[in-house]
Amino acid sequence: RLSSLTGHYGNLYSEAARLLGAQSETPPCFLLQIDEFKLLLDCGWDSSFKADYVEQLKPVTKEIDAVLLSHSDPFYIGALPYLVGRCGLTCPIYSTVPVRRMGQMMLYDLHASHATVEEFNLFSLDDIDAAFDRVHQLKYQQTVTFEGKGHGIAITPLPAGHSLGATLWKIVDGEEEIVYALGYNHKKERHLNGASFDLTFRPSLLITDCANMLYNQRRRRARDEQLMTSILGTLRDGGNVLIATDTAGRCLELTHLLEQLWQNQQSGLMAYSLALLNCVAHNVVEHAKSQVEWMSDRVTKQFELSRDNPFNFRYLHVCHSLQDLARVREPRVVLASQADLDWGFTRQLFQQCKSKSNERCASRAPSWRPCSEPSALMPPPPPPQQHLAPLATPSTALTTNPATTKTPTFDDYGEPVDPNVFNALFAPSAVADLPDGGRGRNTAALAAAAAAAAAAKAAAEKRAARDAEPPSKCLVEQVDVDIRCTVAFIDFEGRSDGDAVKKIVSTLKPRETVLVLGSRDATDHLAEFCRTNMGLAPERIHTPANGETVDVTKEAHIYQARVKDSLISSLTFFPLGEYELAWVDASIHLEGPTEQPTLVPWKSGRPPDHKTVFIGEPKLHGVKQRLQEIGMTAEFQGGVLVVNGRVAVKRTEAGRLLIEGACSEDYFRVRELVYSQYAIL
């Protein structure tokens, strides 16, 4: 039996982080090392897919022991199929169920957006499938403990808001707690609850982003009114509205909002059309329908009471191509991917602004009104248009050396049957080879042989079609687009702004911070706040540059010791959650040739007295619930829990619970309940 001994022996608790996405707005990718165990925290890649960005990961890919994914957006997971398919990443990957499902849809759509306009070979659809096949799906607050090199390290996903299944990661190693919190949103939204930090307080290390530190959001009502006014004004003037968004993340909040607006007869929107356009739109909607339990309390309660699923759309048309969209009558509102307008359907629709607006005189309303996320506030001129020009259609026979391969064709009923296959089977030479010449009871054998031959032929043709794609070349065409539309920026990003981030960080009270994912000014702003408002020493605030390694090694003074059975049997244990704790008074003996420290019963008289120790971190929300269960009135007033109007319970700056009130029965009942939340040694 092993136990932990705090004393002067002391070993080193090592954390080191190699950082991509520090002091910049490049996609996040952090390699966290705890002793010999290496965790990859996200592996983002933006839609430009610059190969040099992931080159730094190649040398360490096979050293990674586990990957933690926090969001489903390619900005956080875009490099995952490349690492699995091309770099040999084989370790387990962890995410919530929605991040796994929606992330796969995001990368499918992103791959299709690139493959239609350029020779995209960084990763394939098979690589995407292989990557997500390795994902271990977790629920919120489900703890996983590693073995082997990671023995004693535990990970727990917590709600992050922002998008379905988005995660704050709590990483615990012994007495040390690390919180990895990027892209979170503390506010409740229509289909999502806000981020939850209830299960963490005073972490040893907080890794958080500074992206929105210099930005303050508008109120939600004003934002929604601006969106409504922009849409309705454009539609009434006969124009169309393009909303550039993502594939399966923030678009869910937008579709939910717009569906509600369309259902409101007083909005005046029912006369117009609403469409969702991306390559996997149907799958995204179906996945959203099946994940109501991951949504806001209001949505789940409504579903439990009336089976009303907010993603059973009545007005939203689900489209997978421009041909599908053409069947949706105008004027219309289209939510299309990708958000940056560089690729995908948003780029194609944005380029149509010229031809559409030319149908109207200059004084008429704009044809398209793109409303996008911050990255598309002022859309850049579109890059040179690229497309693939096949030299042979799929149904054409391709002559190769030394054989000729015919690519199979398909109609509405599948692949046409080749009668020559069956003619060959029924030829005299083939029939004669059967036991009874093809007569009587061996007819079944003949049919089986025919089916096997047809299946073999189909499999061969399928392999040929897969392995020998039609030769193609990339043609680059420079297109000047005369944009005649209004571009409006409406913030539906769904992330906490600067003021909220500062409040959250000051509430968590981390002992040390690593600030990433933001401009130099934004990073300095949060670092200065941590110094002046939280009292953190400068050496405890890390603002690394991109690619820099941060060493936050801790000397924890922890040593492993063996415990004698005779000592264990004499201890009194107290329960605390899933653990049992006991105070130990013992002597230390060094035993054996290795001088293994061993705890034995105290032998030199009576052990010294010790002060009472309260172990645990009860939450005020939990205390309130327990008080209400025993019939007492408890409510929060300015952050203080007031019980029966007589007793106040609050948390001090040091993190302790303080009970105040007149000496009464209520006071002692409250104190007894609060004490019961601790293990008292």
Side-chain angles (χ1 to χ4, degrees):
R1 292 173 180 171
L2 297 178
S3 176
S4 293
L5 170 68
T6 300
H8 65 277
Y9 297 95
N11 65 345
L12 292 180
Y13 168 85
S14 176
E15 300 167 0
R18 185 176 300 174
L19 305 161
L20 295 176
Q23 284 192 27
S24 68
E25 296 182 5
T26 54
C29 185
F30 310 123
L31 186 62
L32 176 68
Q33 180 175 344
I34 303 176
D35 294 330
E36 300 301 317
F37 193 76
K38 295 181 179 179
L39 278 168
L40 187 65
L41 307 178
D42 288 323
C43 49
W45 212 354
D46 58 26
S47 61
S48 65
F49 288 113
K50 295 180 180 178
D52 58 346
Y53 179 74
V54 295
E55 288 299 317
Q56 300 180 58
L57 280 176
K58 282 187 176 180
V60 299
T61 298
K62 296 185 178 180
E63 301 174 8
I64 298 172
D65 297 295
V67 179
L68 306 185
L69 305 179
S70 58
H71 296 268
S72 58
D73 191 278
F75 188 77
Y76 296 89
I77 66 170
L80 187 62
Y82 179 82
L83 295 178
V84 172
R86 307 301 166 92
C87 300
L89 181 70
T90 59
C91 67
I93 303 167
Y94 296 90
S95 80
T96 59
V97 176
V99 167
R100 192 261 186 218
R101 293 184 180 178
M102 296 307 194
Q104 192 170 20
M105 295 300 105
M106 291 261 205
L107 293 181
Y108 280 162
D109 189 45
L110 188 60
H111 183 278
S113 299
H114 280 262
T116 55
V117 296
E118 67 173 354
E119 296 178 0
F120 186 77
N121 54 14
L122 288 174
F123 56 82
S124 65
L125 295 177
D126 289 339
D127 293 332
I128 296 175
D129 290 339
F132 285 96
D133 285 345
R134 305 197 66 83
V135 172
H136 298 254
Q137 301 176 103
L138 305 179
K139 297 180 180 179
Y140 284 145
Q141 301 183 13
Q142 177 183 349
T143 299
V144 173
T145 303
F146 295 113
E147 300 296 337
K149 290 193 298 183
H151 179 73
I153 300 175
I155 57 172
T156 306
L158 304 174
H162 179 64
S163 63
L164 201 61
T167 304
L168 312 169
W169 286 103
K170 175 181 173 182
I171 306 165
V172 177
D173 179 26
E175 296 180 347
E176 306 297 329
E177 179 180 305
I178 304 167
V179 175
Y180 176 66
L182 265 62
Y184 54 84
N185 184 15
H186 68 291
K187 294 181 179 179
K188 286 186 177 181
E189 296 189 274
R190 284 175 174 80
H191 84 295
L192 292 174
N193 288 326
S196 174
F197 293 89
D198 289 345
L199 295 184
T200 180
F201 180 72
R202 289 198 58 79
S204 306
L205 178 66
L206 172 65
I207 304 173
T208 192
D209 67 274
C210 313
N212 279 356
M213 283 309 304
L214 304 179
Y215 171 69
N216 292 320
Q217 295 172 343
R218 299 177 62 189
R219 298 181 67 87
R220 192 175 87 170
R221 183 173 181 178
R223 179 200 67 183
D224 294 351
E225 288 178 353
Q226 181 188 1
L227 177 66
M228 173 74 171
T229 302
S230 299
I231 289 176
L232 194 57
T234 303
L235 294 175
R236 285 177 173 173
D237 285 340
N240 295 318
V241 180
L242 169 63
I243 300 179
T245 183
D246 57 19
T247 304
R250 295 302 300 166
C251 78
L252 297 182
E253 179 72 10
L254 279 166
T255 54
H256 184 31
L257 167 62
L258 294 176
E259 178 73 13
Q260 288 182 327
L261 292 177
W262 252 255
Q263 290 177 7
N264 184 358
Q265 295 183 358
Q266 297 180 352
S267 68
L269 291 169
M270 297 177 66
Y272 308 104
S273 301
L274 176 65
L276 174 66
L277 175 63
N278 64 63
C279 296
V280 291
H282 174 77
N283 300 79
V284 169
V285 173
E286 291 302 311
H287 284 323
K289 289 179 184 178
S290 65
Q291 298 177 71
V292 173
E293 71 271 18
W294 293 87
M295 299 181 186
S296 65
D297 295 337
R298 184 181 62 82
V299 169
T300 54
K301 184 177 181 180
Q302 185 176 358
F303 181 77
E304 291 171 355
L305 293 176
S306 61
R307 293 301 175 190
D308 183 12
N309 193 312
F311 293 95
N312 280 329
F313 296 120
R314 294 172 53 194
Y315 296 95
L316 183 75
H317 298 268
V318 177
C319 304
H320 299 87
S321 65
L322 294 179
Q323 290 74 19
D324 291 343
L325 182 62
R327 291 189 283 270
V328 179
R329 61 180 173 81
E330 298 183 349
R332 62 195 176 207
V333 176
V334 182
L335 294 92
S337 60
Q338 302 288 323
D340 54 13
L341 281 79
D342 284 339
W343 314 94
F345 290 120
T346 52
R347 171 177 167 172
Q348 298 177 57
L349 293 175
F350 194 57
Q351 288 176 325
Q352 292 179 9
C353 292
K354 174 181 178 181
S355 60
K356 291 284 184 181
S357 57
N358 283 346
E359 295 173 5
R360 313 175 189 278
C361 62
S363 62
R364 294 295 300 274
S367 174
W368 290 97
R369 180 192 294 270
C371 304
S372 66
E373 294 185 0
S375 60
L377 172 57
M378 293 299 295
Q385 186 177 5
Q386 301 181 6
H387 58 87
L388 296 178
L391 300 182
T393 61
S395 60
T396 304
L398 306 178
T399 303
T400 59
N401 189 11
T404 300
T405 303
K406 183 176 181 180
T407 305
T409 58
F410 298 87
D411 57 21
D412 292 340
Y413 299 95
E415 181 182 356
V417 175
D418 186 354
N420 294 327
V421 176
F422 293 93
N423 292 339
L425 288 169
F426 284 95
S429 58
V431 175
D433 292 337
L434 295 173
D436 64 346
R439 299 182 299 276
R441 59 187 178 86
N442 283 306
T443 303
L446 177 63
K457 178 178 181 295
E461 290 181 343
K462 184 176 181 180
R463 286 194 299 271
R466 180 188 62 198
D467 299 336
E469 295 182 355
S472 61
K473 64 178 179 180
C474 182
L475 301 179
V476 179
E477 179 184 3
Q478 183 72 36
V479 178
D480 294 327
V481 180
D482 183 17
I483 302 299
R484 296 182 181 179
C485 69
T486 301
V487 178
F489 166 64
I490 303 176
D491 179 16
F492 271 83
E493 185 185 33
R495 295 201 301 178
S496 296
D497 61 10
D499 288 343
V501 169
K502 287 186 282 190
K503 290 179 181 178
I504 291 170
V505 172
S506 60
T507 301
L508 288 177
K509 302 184 185 304
R511 296 180 175 90
E512 200 157 356
T513 62
V514 177
L515 308 180
V516 298
L517 207 64
S519 65
R520 175 79 263 181
D521 291 341
T523 304
D524 290 343
H525 183 84
L526 184 54
E528 180 63 24
F529 174 82
C530 292
R531 280 191 291 269
T532 58
N533 292 69
M534 297 174 54
L536 282 179
E539 62 270 16
R540 298 276 184 176
I541 306 169
H542 305 277
T543 59
N546 208 19
E548 183 180 340
T549 298
V550 176
D551 188 355
V552 284
T553 301
K554 300 286 190 305
E555 188 175 359
H557 300 288
I558 294 177
Y559 202 85
Q560 288 188 334
R562 193 177 302 277
V563 183
K564 289 288 188 179
D565 289 342
S566 57
L567 177 60
I568 290 289
S569 61
S570 66
L571 300 178
T572 301
F573 287 89
F574 298 89
L576 181 66
E578 59 185 25
Y579 302 100
E580 290 187 339
L581 305 178
W583 180 276
V584 179
D585 290 305
S587 300
I588 301 176
H589 286 190
L590 302 180
E591 297 183 351
T594 61
E595 295 188 341
Q596 170 69 47
T598 303
L599 298 182
V600 298
W602 189 276
K603 293 183 178 179
S604 56
R606 183 175 179 274
D609 295 331
H610 67 273
K611 294 182 179 180
T612 301
V613 178
F614 291 79
I615 300 177
E617 293 182 356
K619 305 296 182 183
L620 283 177
H621 286 283
V623 173
K624 174 186 174 183
Q625 184 177 357
R626 293 292 304 277
L627 289 169
Q628 291 174 338
E629 289 174 355
I630 63 174
M632 304 187 77
T633 302
E635 59 181 9
F636 284 103
Q637 297 181 6
V640 178
L641 183 62
V642 179
V643 185
N644 284 358
R646 299 180 179 180
V647 183
V649 184
K650 62 182 180 180
R651 191 176 296 278
T652 66
E653 290 293 330
R656 298 180 179 180
L657 290 184
L658 177 64
I659 307 172
E660 297 178 333
C663 186
S664 62
E665 181 181 354
D666 286 344
Y667 176 85
F668 289 109
R669 289 181 67 191
V670 172
R671 188 182 71 171
E672 181 181 2
L673 187 142
V674 171
Y675 281 5
S676 69
Q677 307 299 301
Y678 292 92
I680 303 177
L681 306 179

